[in-house]
Amino acid sequence: MYNYTLSQIAGGATLAFMVASYFWRSKSAYLLFQIIGIICLFFSYLFGEEYFAMIAITVSLSRTLTFFLYEKKDKEAPIALSFLFAALTVGAYGVINMVILDTAKPLDILYLCAQVGYAFVFRIRNIKLVRYTVTVPHAFAIAYNLLLGNMLFVAVSYGFELLADLFAIIKYDFMGRRTEKS
């Protein structure tokens, strides 16, 4: 029960940082809040004993830090990095589920799809395009966490992140157009 409570607390912190990331106009601020949220998410999965998700989040943190550094230097990250991070995530699935745990959890494939999607979305430099394309990996992550059952708060966090993303799209793309026209 204690681990469940710690997992939920870490999930709440994840929620706060991930949602906040969508309300910055700069890509580097977006990625900084994503990094902090990913660290909180790591602990949520650790306490929830979801080991593939925990390792996938570690790869995710490396990916986000790498793309953050490219963004700070005002450079585009090579596409090869997206393929590398996607391959590391697929490799983590194979090693954790098939070799170490010997379970081959089919449910983890949903989270695998989400993480592979994030590997390509976070490389995009246009924050507007990121907001639109990140909705697909969010949907996979929400489905994964809802189906896990014990990670309900993390699913809610991803859900709020999806809502924040949609709200940011409305605010900056649709409401912003009205302001520019008037």
Side-chain angles (χ1 to χ4, degrees):
M1 187 63 166
Y2 181 69
N3 281 348
Y4 177 79
T5 303
L6 290 175
S7 176
Q8 298 308 309
I9 291 169
T14 299
L15 168 65
F17 286 107
M18 294 294 199
V19 168
S21 72
Y22 287 91
F23 295 96
W24 294 91
R25 286 191 180 263
S26 79
K27 176 84 181 290
S28 59
Y30 167 82
L31 289 174
L32 178 63
F33 277 84
Q34 287 283 317
I35 289 167
I36 297 167
I38 288 168
I39 292 168
C40 295
L41 190 55
F42 171 88
F43 286 107
S44 182
Y45 285 129
L46 174 66
F47 294 130
E49 298 176 0
E50 293 299 330
Y51 300 112
F52 164 68
M54 184 184 75
I55 298 303
I57 284 298
T58 304
V59 172
S60 176
L61 179 61
S62 301
R63 177 196 68 230
T64 308
L65 282 169
T66 301
F67 292 159
F68 175 76
L69 293 174
Y70 272 96
E71 195 64 37
K72 289 302 280 183
K73 293 179 181 180
D74 202 28
K75 293 183 179 182
E76 183 175 17
I79 188 75
L81 283 176
S82 291
F83 282 104
L84 173 67
F85 290 122
L88 286 172
T89 305
V90 171
Y93 174 82
V95 170
I96 297 295
N97 284 345
M98 296 179 188
V99 176
I100 295 173
L101 298 177
D102 197 28
T103 59
K105 290 171 56 176
L107 185 57
D108 282 350
I109 292 173
L110 282 174
Y111 202 61
L112 175 66
C113 291
Q115 291 301 320
V116 168
Y118 289 133
F120 290 95
V121 168
F122 280 3
R123 181 185 168 273
I124 300 169
R125 294 205 61 215
N126 181 330
I127 190 67
K128 179 178 176 179
L129 188 55
V130 169
R131 286 187 190 114
Y132 282 96
T133 56
V134 81
T135 57
V136 174
H138 283 339
F140 281 115
I142 291 167
Y144 170 75
N145 285 289
L146 282 175
L147 292 171
L148 275 177
N150 66 336
M151 302 304 286
L152 185 60
F153 199 75
V154 175
V156 170
S157 296
Y158 274 111
F160 275 118
E161 189 177 355
L162 178 61
L163 289 174
D165 182 41
L166 295 173
F167 182 79
I169 288 170
I170 292 167
K171 178 181 178 187
Y172 293 119
D173 296 342
F174 296 109
M175 302 295 263
R177 288 183 190 161
R178 279 194 205 139
T179 306
E180 289 172 10
K181 287 180 181 177
S182 60

